[in-house]
Amino acid sequence: MTMNEIERSPQGFEEQLLRDLTAHVTQRAEMASAARPAGRRTRFLRGWRLVGAFGLAVALTAGALVVQTIRVGDQPPTASASEIFHLAADAARQQPELTARPDQYVFTEYLVTIRDLPDSGPYQTTRSQLWQSAGGVAYTQGRYRPESDPNGWGELKVLRMGDAADPTKELDAFQPPAYHGDLPSDPDELLRYLRKNPVDLHLPEGADEEAVYGDESMVYTTARSMVRGGYVPPRALAALFELLAREPGAVVISGDVVDAAGRHGVAIRTPGVIGGNVDLLFDRDTHVFLGTRGTVVRNGKESLYDNVAQLRLAIVDRPGQLP
């Protein structure tokens, strides 16, 4: 039995902006469809799904809605978003490469600070552990505990994907492969690959899929979904960051940022989110990807919704097995 382990940091952002977004999807799609050629065919990456409000939000690009942003400090940004992404790419290349068979699992451990409701209620911090099928041949399993209770682990449970069209339902399909070993490591090749293989957003009925998936921003949406979920080998991860460095509208948030694990970093705010914001967090010194931060905007006021820090990433043989 072989277990490979690495401590690095991507992903997170939950799916509770759905009600705010559904009404905007069709309107945005209708506006964009007029500029798209008819008959365009789209092929999705096998099994890739970015479910819920986050998926809908990032599909609708800059210009859909302008929302208020907050400053988290008085110091101006010391580097552009593009520069930070390039430094993150350099950091990614230094990571050891993990290998996995289709029957193995990608293990991830997160520290998550989140509210019960998007813009109200107390914040709670939980420690979560996920076991995702490397080959997409089994359901994801997970468990969690309050961070304040080291012995409070819940039972290991099977986790199914939610249906974006009906949040009360679950999908029967397995989650997508969590091991992304076939991604190109050249940014230009990766760009072409992601254009042909966008992440599946499971848009609600009535949305113009040709308009949404045909938009140039879809490449960056898919790239971010790759960074945030599963395992991407170092050279391909670097290519994803190099690609994200080209995205128009990404900005560095001023001041110091602290993730759910207390690590200090820098935040890059991604464009095109309706009803809130999604920030990608990087270590301030090493530029290793730490995780994500989600905010919501209500009545012109922005507040933290969740802060997700990835603590460990490893390849294991079965659900429940720890590195």
Side-chain angles (χ1 to χ4, degrees), residues 127 143 145-154:
R127 185 173 293 259
R143 65 174 188 166
R145 66 168 174 83
E147 181 60 11
S148 59
D149 185 2
N151 298 317
W153 286 108

Side-chain angles (χ1 to χ4, degrees), residues 71-154:
R71 295 176 61 87
V72 293
D74 296 328
Q75 299 176 348
T78 58
S80 69
S82 179
E83 290 171 324
I84 296 298
F85 277 128
H86 284 301
L87 291 169
D90 291 339
R93 294 187 187 98
Q94 305 305 311
Q95 297 174 357
E97 184 167 353
L98 308 184
T99 59
R101 303 186 309 268
D103 63 319
Q104 290 184 301
Y105 289 80
V106 176
F107 166 82
T108 47
E109 184 170 349
Y110 304 97
L111 204 59
V112 182
T113 298
I114 192 170
R115 280 176 164 176
D116 289 337
L117 299 174
D119 58 351
S120 65
Y123 290 100
Q124 298 179 352
T125 300
T126 62
R127 185 173 293 259
S128 302
Q129 294 178 339
L130 290 180
W131 288 264
Q132 298 169 281
S133 172
V137 297
Y139 290 116
T140 295
Q141 297 189 41
R143 65 174 188 166
Y144 71 94
R145 66 168 174 83
E147 181 60 11
S148 59
D149 185 2
N151 298 317
W153 286 108

